[in-house]
Structures are given as structure tokens and as C-alpha cells.
mmCIF file of all heavy atoms in Angstrom:
data_model
loop_
_atom_site.group_PDB
_atom_site.id
_atom_site.type_symbol
_atom_site.label_atom_id
_atom_site.label_comp_id
_atom_site.label_asym_id
_atom_site.label_seq_id
_atom_site.Cartn_x
_atom_site.Cartn_y
_atom_site.Cartn_z
ATOM 1 N N VAL A 278 -46.526 10.926 46.743
ATOM 2 C CA VAL A 278 -45.357 10.445 46.020
ATOM 3 C C VAL A 278 -45.684 9.090 45.395
ATOM 4 O O VAL A 278 -46.191 8.190 46.080
ATOM 5 C CB VAL A 278 -44.130 10.302 46.950
ATOM 6 C CG1 VAL A 278 -42.912 9.804 46.161
ATOM 7 C CG2 VAL A 278 -43.819 11.624 47.634
ATOM 8 N N TYR A 279 -45.400 8.951 44.098
ATOM 9 C CA TYR A 279 -45.513 7.666 43.415
ATOM 10 C C TYR A 279 -44.112 7.040 43.364
ATOM 11 O O TYR A 279 -43.284 7.406 42.539
ATOM 12 C CB TYR A 279 -46.063 7.861 41.994
ATOM 13 C CG TYR A 279 -47.554 8.119 41.946
ATOM 14 C CD1 TYR A 279 -48.070 9.367 42.264
ATOM 15 C CD2 TYR A 279 -48.439 7.104 41.583
ATOM 16 C CE1 TYR A 279 -49.436 9.607 42.222
ATOM 17 C CE2 TYR A 279 -49.805 7.331 41.538
ATOM 18 C CZ TYR A 279 -50.299 8.585 41.857
ATOM 19 O OH TYR A 279 -51.649 8.812 41.810
ATOM 20 N N TRP A 280 -43.863 6.115 44.264
ATOM 21 C CA TRP A 280 -42.572 5.446 44.333
ATOM 22 C C TRP A 280 -42.516 4.351 43.266
ATOM 23 O O TRP A 280 -43.483 3.625 43.072
ATOM 24 C CB TRP A 280 -42.365 4.829 45.709
ATOM 25 C CG TRP A 280 -42.328 5.821 46.829
ATOM 26 C CD1 TRP A 280 -43.392 6.376 47.465
ATOM 27 C CD2 TRP A 280 -41.165 6.386 47.420
ATOM 28 N NE1 TRP A 280 -42.983 7.252 48.440
ATOM 29 C CE2 TRP A 280 -41.603 7.275 48.436
ATOM 30 C CE3 TRP A 280 -39.794 6.233 47.216
ATOM 31 C CZ2 TRP A 280 -40.729 7.997 49.228
ATOM 32 C CZ3 TRP A 280 -38.916 6.948 48.013
ATOM 33 C CH2 TRP A 280 -39.370 7.822 49.000
ATOM 34 N N ALA A 281 -41.365 4.220 42.602
ATOM 35 C CA ALA A 281 -41.204 3.220 41.552
ATOM 36 C C ALA A 281 -39.875 2.502 41.720
ATOM 37 O O ALA A 281 -38.900 3.081 42.251
ATOM 38 C CB ALA A 281 -41.274 3.865 40.168
ATOM 39 N N THR A 282 -39.830 1.255 41.275
ATOM 40 C CA THR A 282 -38.572 0.517 41.269
ATOM 41 C C THR A 282 -37.522 1.298 40.467
ATOM 42 O O THR A 282 -37.776 1.738 39.348
ATOM 43 C CB THR A 282 -38.768 -0.874 40.643
ATOM 44 O OG1 THR A 282 -39.702 -1.605 41.449
ATOM 45 C CG2 THR A 282 -37.458 -1.642 40.568
ATOM 46 N N GLY A 283 -36.344 1.476 41.053
ATOM 47 C CA GLY A 283 -35.265 2.174 40.370
ATOM 48 C C GLY A 283 -35.255 3.679 40.566
ATOM 49 O O GLY A 283 -34.361 4.358 40.039
ATOM 50 N N THR A 284 -36.228 4.231 41.286
ATOM 51 C CA THR A 284 -36.237 5.679 41.514
ATOM 52 C C THR A 284 -34.943 6.117 42.213
ATOM 53 O O THR A 284 -34.546 5.529 43.228
ATOM 54 C CB THR A 284 -37.451 6.087 42.365
ATOM 55 O OG1 THR A 284 -38.649 5.804 41.645
ATOM 56 C CG2 THR A 284 -37.417 7.572 42.701
ATOM 57 N N ALA A 285 -34.298 7.137 41.653
ATOM 58 C CA ALA A 285 -33.055 7.649 42.232
ATOM 59 C C ALA A 285 -33.360 8.659 43.330
ATOM 60 O O ALA A 285 -34.214 9.537 43.162
ATOM 61 C CB ALA A 285 -32.204 8.303 41.143
ATOM 62 N N LEU A 286 -32.639 8.535 44.445
ATOM 63 C CA LEU A 286 -32.798 9.433 45.586
ATOM 64 C C LEU A 286 -31.499 10.213 45.772
ATOM 65 O O LEU A 286 -30.411 9.620 45.829
ATOM 66 C CB LEU A 286 -33.113 8.649 46.862
ATOM 67 C CG LEU A 286 -34.276 7.638 46.791
ATOM 68 C CD1 LEU A 286 -34.384 6.888 48.107
ATOM 69 C CD2 LEU A 286 -35.573 8.338 46.469
ATOM 70 N N THR A 287 -31.619 11.508 45.880
ATOM 71 C CA THR A 287 -30.453 12.361 46.108
ATOM 72 C C THR A 287 -30.438 12.789 47.569
ATOM 73 O O THR A 287 -31.403 13.386 48.060
ATOM 74 C CB THR A 287 -30.506 13.596 45.203
ATOM 75 O OG1 THR A 287 -30.561 13.183 43.839
ATOM 76 C CG2 THR A 287 -29.265 14.463 45.409
ATOM 77 N N THR A 288 -29.326 12.486 48.257
ATOM 78 C CA THR A 288 -29.190 12.835 49.670
ATOM 79 C C THR A 288 -27.946 13.699 49.846
ATOM 80 O O THR A 288 -27.062 13.724 48.984
ATOM 81 C CB THR A 288 -29.081 11.572 50.556
ATOM 82 O OG1 THR A 288 -27.709 11.145 50.578
ATOM 83 C CG2 THR A 288 -29.961 10.444 50.049
ATOM 84 N N PRO A 289 -27.829 14.383 50.992
ATOM 85 C CA PRO A 289 -26.630 15.190 51.232
ATOM 86 C C PRO A 289 -25.346 14.365 51.337
ATOM 87 O O PRO A 289 -24.248 14.924 51.293
ATOM 88 C CB PRO A 289 -26.931 15.886 52.568
ATOM 89 C CG PRO A 289 -28.409 15.830 52.723
ATOM 90 C CD PRO A 289 -28.834 14.573 52.063
ATOM 91 N N HIS A 290 -25.496 13.040 51.434
ATOM 92 C CA HIS A 290 -24.318 12.191 51.674
ATOM 93 C C HIS A 290 -24.116 11.166 50.569
ATOM 94 O O HIS A 290 -23.337 10.231 50.727
ATOM 95 C CB HIS A 290 -24.463 11.488 53.027
ATOM 96 C CG HIS A 290 -24.715 12.436 54.145
ATOM 97 N ND1 HIS A 290 -23.729 13.224 54.708
ATOM 98 C CD2 HIS A 290 -25.867 12.768 54.794
ATOM 99 C CE1 HIS A 290 -24.257 13.977 55.662
ATOM 100 N NE2 HIS A 290 -25.555 13.721 55.738
ATOM 101 N N GLY A 291 -24.821 11.290 49.458
ATOM 102 C CA GLY A 291 -24.633 10.379 48.352
ATOM 103 C C GLY A 291 -25.958 9.852 47.828
ATOM 104 O O GLY A 291 -27.022 10.084 48.417
ATOM 105 N N PRO A 292 -25.917 9.127 46.694
ATOM 106 C CA PRO A 292 -27.157 8.643 46.076
ATOM 107 C C PRO A 292 -27.671 7.354 46.715
ATOM 108 O O PRO A 292 -26.901 6.557 47.253
ATOM 109 C CB PRO A 292 -26.738 8.398 44.625
ATOM 110 C CG PRO A 292 -25.296 8.022 44.736
ATOM 111 C CD PRO A 292 -24.731 8.845 45.862
ATOM 112 N N LEU A 293 -28.977 7.165 46.613
ATOM 113 C CA LEU A 293 -29.642 5.909 46.962
ATOM 114 C C LEU A 293 -30.600 5.560 45.831
ATOM 115 O O LEU A 293 -30.955 6.409 45.003
ATOM 116 C CB LEU A 293 -30.410 6.029 48.279
ATOM 117 C CG LEU A 293 -29.586 6.242 49.552
ATOM 118 C CD1 LEU A 293 -30.502 6.556 50.734
ATOM 119 C CD2 LEU A 293 -28.713 5.028 49.852
ATOM 120 N N GLU A 294 -31.066 4.320 45.807
ATOM 121 C CA GLU A 294 -31.982 3.886 44.744
ATOM 122 C C GLU A 294 -33.042 2.968 45.325
ATOM 123 O O GLU A 294 -32.749 2.109 46.179
ATOM 124 C CB GLU A 294 -31.197 3.154 43.651
ATOM 125 C CG GLU A 294 -32.058 2.699 42.471
ATOM 126 C CD GLU A 294 -31.242 1.973 41.416
ATOM 127 O OE1 GLU A 294 -30.138 2.457 41.098
ATOM 128 O OE2 GLU A 294 -31.704 0.925 40.922
ATOM 129 N N VAL A 295 -34.297 3.153 44.871
ATOM 130 C CA VAL A 295 -35.395 2.288 45.327
ATOM 131 C C VAL A 295 -35.233 0.896 44.736
ATOM 132 O O VAL A 295 -34.947 0.730 43.541
ATOM 133 C CB VAL A 295 -36.757 2.889 44.919
ATOM 134 C CG1 VAL A 295 -37.888 1.926 45.254
ATOM 135 C CG2 VAL A 295 -36.968 4.223 45.620
ATOM 136 N N GLY A 296 -35.404 -0.108 45.578
ATOM 137 C CA GLY A 296 -35.271 -1.491 45.136
ATOM 138 C C GLY A 296 -36.540 -2.015 44.467
ATOM 139 O O GLY A 296 -37.424 -1.244 44.073
ATOM 140 N N GLN A 297 -36.629 -3.338 44.393
ATOM 141 C CA GLN A 297 -37.727 -3.983 43.666
ATOM 142 C C GLN A 297 -39.030 -3.879 44.448
ATOM 143 O O GLN A 297 -39.156 -4.367 45.569
ATOM 144 C CB GLN A 297 -37.388 -5.470 43.422
ATOM 145 C CG GLN A 297 -38.378 -6.198 42.557
ATOM 146 C CD GLN A 297 -38.098 -6.018 41.082
ATOM 147 O OE1 GLN A 297 -37.676 -4.953 40.650
ATOM 148 N NE2 GLN A 297 -38.320 -7.046 40.301
ATOM 149 N N LEU A 298 -40.016 -3.232 43.858
ATOM 150 C CA LEU A 298 -41.360 -3.142 44.424
ATOM 151 C C LEU A 298 -42.260 -4.196 43.783
ATOM 152 O O LEU A 298 -42.023 -4.605 42.636
ATOM 153 C CB LEU A 298 -41.951 -1.748 44.177
ATOM 154 C CG LEU A 298 -41.241 -0.576 44.858
ATOM 155 C CD1 LEU A 298 -41.809 0.743 44.366
ATOM 156 C CD2 LEU A 298 -41.385 -0.675 46.371
ATOM 157 N N PRO A 299 -43.290 -4.637 44.486
ATOM 158 C CA PRO A 299 -44.206 -5.600 43.877
ATOM 159 C C PRO A 299 -45.045 -4.934 42.794
ATOM 160 O O PRO A 299 -45.349 -3.740 42.884
ATOM 161 C CB PRO A 299 -45.079 -6.046 45.056
ATOM 162 C CG PRO A 299 -45.048 -4.893 45.998
ATOM 163 C CD PRO A 299 -43.679 -4.287 45.872
ATOM 164 N N PRO A 300 -45.419 -5.678 41.757
ATOM 165 C CA PRO A 300 -46.271 -5.087 40.716
ATOM 166 C C PRO A 300 -47.664 -4.794 41.243
ATOM 167 O O PRO A 300 -48.175 -5.483 42.129
ATOM 168 C CB PRO A 300 -46.297 -6.165 39.627
ATOM 169 C CG PRO A 300 -46.037 -7.440 40.365
ATOM 170 C CD PRO A 300 -45.122 -7.095 41.491
ATOM 171 N N LEU A 301 -48.290 -3.776 40.709
ATOM 172 C CA LEU A 301 -49.653 -3.444 41.100
ATOM 173 C C LEU A 301 -50.630 -4.482 40.577
ATOM 174 O O LEU A 301 -50.506 -4.956 39.440
ATOM 175 C CB LEU A 301 -50.039 -2.070 40.532
ATOM 176 C CG LEU A 301 -49.372 -0.845 41.152
ATOM 177 C CD1 LEU A 301 -49.806 0.406 40.398
ATOM 178 C CD2 LEU A 301 -49.729 -0.723 42.623
ATOM 179 N N GLU A 302 -51.589 -4.850 41.414
ATOM 180 C CA GLU A 302 -52.666 -5.725 40.960
ATOM 181 C C GLU A 302 -53.554 -4.946 39.998
ATOM 182 O O GLU A 302 -53.971 -3.825 40.288
ATOM 183 C CB GLU A 302 -53.501 -6.215 42.148
ATOM 184 C CG GLU A 302 -54.641 -7.118 41.748
ATOM 185 C CD GLU A 302 -55.571 -7.450 42.903
ATOM 186 O OE1 GLU A 302 -55.636 -6.647 43.860
ATOM 187 O OE2 GLU A 302 -56.223 -8.489 42.839
ATOM 188 N N GLN A 303 -53.825 -5.524 38.855
ATOM 189 C CA GLN A 303 -54.634 -4.872 37.846
ATOM 190 C C GLN A 303 -56.068 -5.392 37.876
ATOM 191 O O GLN A 303 -56.336 -6.511 38.324
ATOM 192 C CB GLN A 303 -54.044 -5.099 36.450
ATOM 193 C CG GLN A 303 -52.637 -4.507 36.285
ATOM 194 C CD GLN A 303 -52.649 -2.994 36.266
ATOM 195 O OE1 GLN A 303 -52.702 -2.349 37.313
ATOM 196 N NE2 GLN A 303 -52.607 -2.415 35.080
ATOM 197 N N SER A 304 -56.985 -4.579 37.389
ATOM 198 C CA SER A 304 -58.389 -4.978 37.297
ATOM 199 C C SER A 304 -59.016 -4.232 36.131
ATOM 200 O O SER A 304 -58.415 -3.320 35.547
ATOM 201 C CB SER A 304 -59.133 -4.663 38.598
ATOM 202 O OG SER A 304 -59.117 -3.272 38.861
ATOM 203 N N MET A 305 -60.234 -4.637 35.795
ATOM 204 C CA MET A 305 -60.984 -3.986 34.718
ATOM 205 C C MET A 305 -62.347 -3.592 35.262
ATOM 206 O O MET A 305 -63.051 -4.432 35.822
ATOM 207 C CB MET A 305 -61.122 -4.943 33.519
ATOM 208 C CG MET A 305 -59.790 -5.299 32.876
ATOM 209 S SD MET A 305 -59.914 -6.539 31.540
ATOM 210 C CE MET A 305 -59.878 -8.079 32.482
ATOM 211 N N ARG A 306 -62.702 -2.328 35.118
ATOM 212 C CA ARG A 306 -63.991 -1.863 35.644
ATOM 213 C C ARG A 306 -65.082 -2.091 34.608
ATOM 214 O O ARG A 306 -65.033 -1.541 33.507
ATOM 215 C CB ARG A 306 -63.923 -0.382 36.035
ATOM 216 C CG ARG A 306 -65.200 0.107 36.725
ATOM 217 C CD ARG A 306 -65.011 1.466 37.336
ATOM 218 N NE ARG A 306 -64.127 1.429 38.484
ATOM 219 C CZ ARG A 306 -64.506 1.108 39.722
ATOM 220 N NH1 ARG A 306 -65.782 0.750 39.961
ATOM 221 N NH2 ARG A 306 -63.653 1.118 40.714
ATOM 222 N N VAL A 307 -66.066 -2.906 34.977
ATOM 223 C CA VAL A 307 -67.145 -3.245 34.058
ATOM 224 C C VAL A 307 -68.444 -2.605 34.518
ATOM 225 O O VAL A 307 -68.642 -2.335 35.711
ATOM 226 C CB VAL A 307 -67.307 -4.779 33.940
ATOM 227 C CG1 VAL A 307 -66.010 -5.431 33.509
ATOM 228 C CG2 VAL A 307 -67.775 -5.388 35.268
ATOM 229 N N HIS A 308 -69.339 -2.375 33.563
ATOM 230 C CA HIS A 308 -70.622 -1.726 33.844
ATOM 231 C C HIS A 308 -71.758 -2.546 33.243
ATOM 232 O O HIS A 308 -71.537 -3.404 32.375
ATOM 233 C CB HIS A 308 -70.642 -0.309 33.250
ATOM 234 C CG HIS A 308 -69.560 0.580 33.779
ATOM 235 N ND1 HIS A 308 -68.268 0.561 33.284
ATOM 236 C CD2 HIS A 308 -69.577 1.511 34.777
ATOM 237 C CE1 HIS A 308 -67.535 1.448 33.946
ATOM 238 N NE2 HIS A 308 -68.308 2.041 34.848
ATOM 239 N N GLU A 309 -72.962 -2.288 33.721
ATOM 240 C CA GLU A 309 -74.141 -2.988 33.207
ATOM 241 C C GLU A 309 -74.242 -2.798 31.691
ATOM 242 O O GLU A 309 -73.993 -1.705 31.165
ATOM 243 C CB GLU A 309 -75.407 -2.459 33.883
ATOM 244 C CG GLU A 309 -75.532 -2.857 35.338
ATOM 245 C CD GLU A 309 -76.846 -2.416 35.948
ATOM 246 O OE1 GLU A 309 -77.779 -2.138 35.165
ATOM 247 O OE2 GLU A 309 -76.934 -2.346 37.184
ATOM 248 N N GLY A 310 -74.611 -3.881 31.021
ATOM 249 C CA GLY A 310 -74.772 -3.850 29.574
ATOM 250 C C GLY A 310 -73.513 -4.171 28.802
ATOM 251 O O GLY A 310 -73.581 -4.414 27.588
ATOM 252 N N GLU A 311 -72.356 -4.190 29.457
ATOM 253 C CA GLU A 311 -71.104 -4.489 28.764
ATOM 254 C C GLU A 311 -70.855 -5.991 28.708
ATOM 255 O O GLU A 311 -71.514 -6.778 29.395
ATOM 256 C CB GLU A 311 -69.935 -3.769 29.450
ATOM 257 C CG GLU A 311 -70.028 -2.259 29.346
ATOM 258 C CD GLU A 311 -68.866 -1.545 29.997
ATOM 259 O OE1 GLU A 311 -68.281 -2.094 30.963
ATOM 260 O OE2 GLU A 311 -68.538 -0.426 29.549
ATOM 261 N N GLN A 312 -69.878 -6.401 27.888
ATOM 262 C CA GLN A 312 -69.580 -7.815 27.672
ATOM 263 C C GLN A 312 -68.311 -8.230 28.406
ATOM 264 O O GLN A 312 -67.315 -7.503 28.425
ATOM 265 C CB GLN A 312 -69.397 -8.116 26.180
ATOM 266 C CG GLN A 312 -70.681 -8.317 25.408
ATOM 267 C CD GLN A 312 -70.407 -8.876 24.022
ATOM 268 O OE1 GLN A 312 -69.281 -8.861 23.531
ATOM 269 N NE2 GLN A 312 -71.446 -9.383 23.376
ATOM 270 N N ILE A 313 -68.393 -9.426 29.001
ATOM 271 C CA ILE A 313 -67.220 -10.123 29.536
ATOM 272 C C ILE A 313 -67.119 -11.443 28.787
ATOM 273 O O ILE A 313 -68.127 -12.145 28.622
ATOM 274 C CB ILE A 313 -67.357 -10.394 31.041
ATOM 275 C CG1 ILE A 313 -67.458 -9.085 31.825
ATOM 276 C CG2 ILE A 313 -66.189 -11.235 31.552
ATOM 277 C CD1 ILE A 313 -67.766 -9.288 33.304
ATOM 278 N N VAL A 314 -65.927 -11.797 28.341
ATOM 279 C CA VAL A 314 -65.706 -13.076 27.659
ATOM 280 C C VAL A 314 -64.811 -13.930 28.543
ATOM 281 O O VAL A 314 -63.651 -13.579 28.799
ATOM 282 C CB VAL A 314 -65.060 -12.877 26.271
ATOM 283 C CG1 VAL A 314 -64.843 -14.232 25.600
ATOM 284 C CG2 VAL A 314 -65.937 -11.983 25.395
ATOM 285 N N LEU A 315 -65.362 -15.042 29.037
ATOM 286 C CA LEU A 315 -64.580 -16.019 29.797
ATOM 287 C C LEU A 315 -63.925 -16.977 28.809
ATOM 288 O O LEU A 315 -64.608 -17.534 27.943
ATOM 289 C CB LEU A 315 -65.481 -16.798 30.760
ATOM 290 C CG LEU A 315 -66.299 -15.961 31.757
ATOM 291 C CD1 LEU A 315 -67.215 -16.865 32.575
ATOM 292 C CD2 LEU A 315 -65.385 -15.166 32.674
ATOM 293 N N THR A 316 -62.624 -17.160 28.901
ATOM 294 C CA THR A 316 -61.894 -17.977 27.936
ATOM 295 C C THR A 316 -61.289 -19.210 28.600
ATOM 296 O O THR A 316 -60.994 -19.208 29.804
ATOM 297 C CB THR A 316 -60.769 -17.163 27.272
ATOM 298 O OG1 THR A 316 -59.725 -16.939 28.229
ATOM 299 C CG2 THR A 316 -61.289 -15.820 26.772
ATOM 300 N N ARG A 317 -61.090 -20.235 27.805
ATOM 301 C CA ARG A 317 -60.467 -21.459 28.304
ATOM 302 C C ARG A 317 -58.982 -21.217 28.615
ATOM 303 O O ARG A 317 -58.409 -21.859 29.481
ATOM 304 C CB ARG A 317 -60.629 -22.566 27.264
ATOM 305 C CG ARG A 317 -60.161 -23.935 27.732
ATOM 306 C CD ARG A 317 -60.253 -24.947 26.605
ATOM 307 N NE ARG A 317 -61.638 -25.252 26.275
ATOM 308 C CZ ARG A 317 -62.339 -26.236 26.811
ATOM 309 N NH1 ARG A 317 -61.788 -27.002 27.747
ATOM 310 N NH2 ARG A 317 -63.576 -26.473 26.444
ATOM 311 N N SER A 318 -58.353 -20.295 27.888
ATOM 312 C CA SER A 318 -56.931 -20.009 28.092
ATOM 313 C C SER A 318 -56.709 -19.360 29.450
ATOM 314 O O SER A 318 -57.451 -18.467 29.856
ATOM 315 C CB SER A 318 -56.414 -19.078 26.998
ATOM 316 O OG SER A 318 -55.111 -18.627 27.311
ATOM 317 N N LEU A 319 -55.662 -19.806 30.135
ATOM 318 C CA LEU A 319 -55.319 -19.241 31.433
ATOM 319 C C LEU A 319 -54.025 -18.433 31.369
ATOM 320 O O LEU A 319 -53.375 -18.205 32.397
ATOM 321 C CB LEU A 319 -55.220 -20.354 32.485
ATOM 322 C CG LEU A 319 -56.535 -21.082 32.789
ATOM 323 C CD1 LEU A 319 -56.328 -22.177 33.805
ATOM 324 C CD2 LEU A 319 -57.596 -20.099 33.269
ATOM 325 N N GLU A 320 -53.672 -17.998 30.171
ATOM 326 C CA GLU A 320 -52.549 -17.083 30.040
ATOM 327 C C GLU A 320 -52.964 -15.710 30.585
ATOM 328 O O GLU A 320 -54.114 -15.296 30.430
ATOM 329 C CB GLU A 320 -52.137 -16.948 28.574
ATOM 330 C CG GLU A 320 -51.510 -18.207 27.990
ATOM 331 C CD GLU A 320 -50.196 -18.556 28.678
ATOM 332 O OE1 GLU A 320 -49.404 -17.624 28.932
ATOM 333 O OE2 GLU A 320 -49.983 -19.745 28.964
ATOM 334 N N PRO A 321 -52.041 -14.987 31.227
ATOM 335 C CA PRO A 321 -52.391 -13.654 31.731
ATOM 336 C C PRO A 321 -52.889 -12.743 30.614
ATOM 337 O O PRO A 321 -52.319 -12.720 29.521
ATOM 338 C CB PRO A 321 -51.077 -13.147 32.323
ATOM 339 C CG PRO A 321 -50.288 -14.374 32.638
ATOM 340 C CD PRO A 321 -50.650 -15.368 31.571
ATOM 341 N N VAL A 322 -53.961 -12.018 30.894
ATOM 342 C CA VAL A 322 -54.536 -11.122 29.889
ATOM 343 C C VAL A 322 -54.244 -9.682 30.282
ATOM 344 O O VAL A 322 -54.096 -9.362 31.468
ATOM 345 C CB VAL A 322 -56.058 -11.329 29.762
ATOM 346 C CG1 VAL A 322 -56.372 -12.747 29.308
ATOM 347 C CG2 VAL A 322 -56.760 -11.033 31.085
#
């Protein structure tokens, strides 16, 4: 099951809703020969 914020749940006794989940940590998979550019900017990329 992929649970998400706001997912609606149907029960025999009424509705429920999933609350705020933390965001997934993101990453980038790099391989030999590819380029990485380190930047002075610290804004989220």
C-alpha cells in the first residue's frame, strides 16, 4: 500500500482520512562518466 496525505478511508462506521505524512527524501542516482555540478546557490534543487 502506498499511503498518501489525504487518502480517504472507508469504514463500516464512517469515513476517515490520512493526516500529514513527511515528504520523501529525494536523491539522484549518478554513474561513472556522468557530470555533477556543485553550485554556490543553496536553494533546493
Side-chain angles (χ1 to χ4, degrees):
V278 180
Y279 283 77
W280 297 82
T282 298
T284 296
L286 309 176
T287 302
T288 85
H290 306 284
L293 294 171
E294 182 180 316
V295 174
Q297 186 85 324
L298 296 172
L301 289 176
E302 180 188 25
Q303 298 290 81
S304 62
M305 296 175 275
R306 186 169 290 277
V307 304
H308 301 82
E309 289 185 19
E311 294 181 331
Q312 278 191 345
I313 298 173
V314 180
L315 304 176
T316 71
R317 187 185 290 269
S318 170
L319 295 179
E320 291 296 318
V322 298

